[in-house]
Amino acid sequence: MQNGIPYLDILIFGVIAIFLIFRLKNILGTKTDFEESNFNEKKQTKQNSNVFSLKSKKIISSNSEIDKIKKVDADFNTENFLNGSKTFFEMVLKSFVSGDLDDVKDYIKPSVLKSFKVAINDRNKENETLIIDLKSFEDHKISSSTITKSSIKISVIFETLQIKALMDKSEKVIDGDATKEMLVKDEWVFEKKINDQQNNWTLVETKSF
């Protein structure tokens, strides 16, 4: 037929369409990492001296971890714990930035608290100003737990969007970016003594990814 499309053309267009669909599927299915700008190595060591080394852990199903915790602590409430850890996370960031840890010191292990104080003192000696503006929580969950005869330890993952920058005494940004958000991933470990009548959790370890 004069006005019809030859079968060969139909076949070619069909192959092209299948190829484009396949490519689109691959692109949409690709997981991309959030590109963040980190402080340089010198400032990382200086500002993040509160970071303790933890063994790398594979994220475990929260349900299995919660079941394990409830076998030891029947009153454990996941929602209350996560809400409390989220609030505490924000309080510690604000306290660290301001340089005043009085509001959180009773809930932080002495060795961790000491490291926070060392980082603050180093910053003050250089007349530097740290900016951490917490914009949002992208992920916040229990990743694992460790239970002994005397205590429960719970690891919590915090993925947050922050604006983070370090300024010198002339208010010049020397690390980070005061205008751009970055994705920050932290793992904090909280511990509670099983027979503790006050039922308080203590921050005992921190790690940044």
Side-chain angles (χ1 to χ4, degrees), residues 135-209:
K135 294 298 185 180
S136 63
F137 284 83
E138 300 299 296
D139 198 9
H140 174 218
K141 62 188 176 185
I142 294 172
S143 62
S144 63
S145 63
T146 303
I147 298 173
T148 66
K149 292 181 179 179
S150 60
S151 68
I152 303 172
K153 285 185 179 180
I154 299 179
S155 298
V156 181
I157 296 294
F158 299 92
E159 289 188 14
T160 58
L161 283 177
Q162 302 178 15
I163 290 179
K164 189 173 183 179
L166 184 67
M167 298 189 300
D168 63 16
K169 59 185 178 181
S170 301
E171 297 187 352
K172 177 184 177 181
V173 175
I174 53 178
D175 279 296
D177 194 322
T179 61
K180 186 182 299 182
E181 293 182 355
M182 66 174 66
L183 182 66
V184 180
K185 185 175 181 180
D186 296 284
E187 181 181 21
W188 286 16
V189 180
F190 296 90
E191 181 181 37
K192 183 181 75 170
K193 301 300 180 182
I194 292 176
N195 295 323
D196 184 5
Q197 298 298 321
Q198 295 182 340
N199 205 35
N200 289 331
W201 292 92
T202 301
L203 176 64
V204 296
E205 297 177 72
T206 68
K207 177 184 177 181
S208 294
F209 294 89

Side-chain angles (χ1 to χ4, degrees), residues 59-187:
I59 301 302
I60 305 172
S61 169
S62 293
N63 289 335
S64 64
E65 293 302 311
I66 292 165
D67 289 341
K68 188 166 67 173
I69 296 166
K70 285 188 173 181
K71 287 181 180 179
V72 179
D73 184 0
D75 295 327
F76 180 79
N77 184 290
T78 308
E79 183 178 358
N80 289 344
F81 175 82
L82 287 175
N83 286 338
S85 65
K86 180 179 179 180
T87 299
F88 187 70
F89 182 84
E90 294 178 284
M91 289 177 62
V92 171
L93 286 188
K94 290 179 181 178
S95 297
F96 183 67
V97 170
S98 69
D100 184 357
L101 301 171
D102 286 346
D103 291 340
V104 296
K105 65 180 182 180
D106 293 336
Y107 306 98
I108 301 177
K109 185 179 178 180
S111 58
V112 179
L113 184 66
K114 181 180 179 180
S115 295
F116 281 141
K117 289 180 177 179
V118 169
I120 291 171
N121 290 337
D122 287 347
R123 196 170 69 217
N124 290 338
K125 286 179 183 178
E126 298 294 332
N127 293 317
E128 295 171 342
T129 301
L130 178 64
I131 297 173
I132 298 180
D133 186 2
L134 178 57
K135 294 298 185 180
S136 63
F137 284 83
E138 300 299 296
D139 198 9
H140 174 218
K141 62 188 176 185
I142 294 172
S143 62
S144 63
S145 63
T146 303
I147 298 173
T148 66
K149 292 181 179 179
S150 60
S151 68
I152 303 172
K153 285 185 179 180
I154 299 179
S155 298
V156 181
I157 296 294
F158 299 92
E159 289 188 14
T160 58
L161 283 177
Q162 302 178 15
I163 290 179
K164 189 173 183 179
L166 184 67
M167 298 189 300
D168 63 16
K169 59 185 178 181
S170 301
E171 297 187 352
K172 177 184 177 181
V173 175
I174 53 178
D175 279 296
D177 194 322
T179 61
K180 186 182 299 182
E181 293 182 355
M182 66 174 66
L183 182 66
V184 180
K185 185 175 181 180
D186 296 284
E187 181 181 21

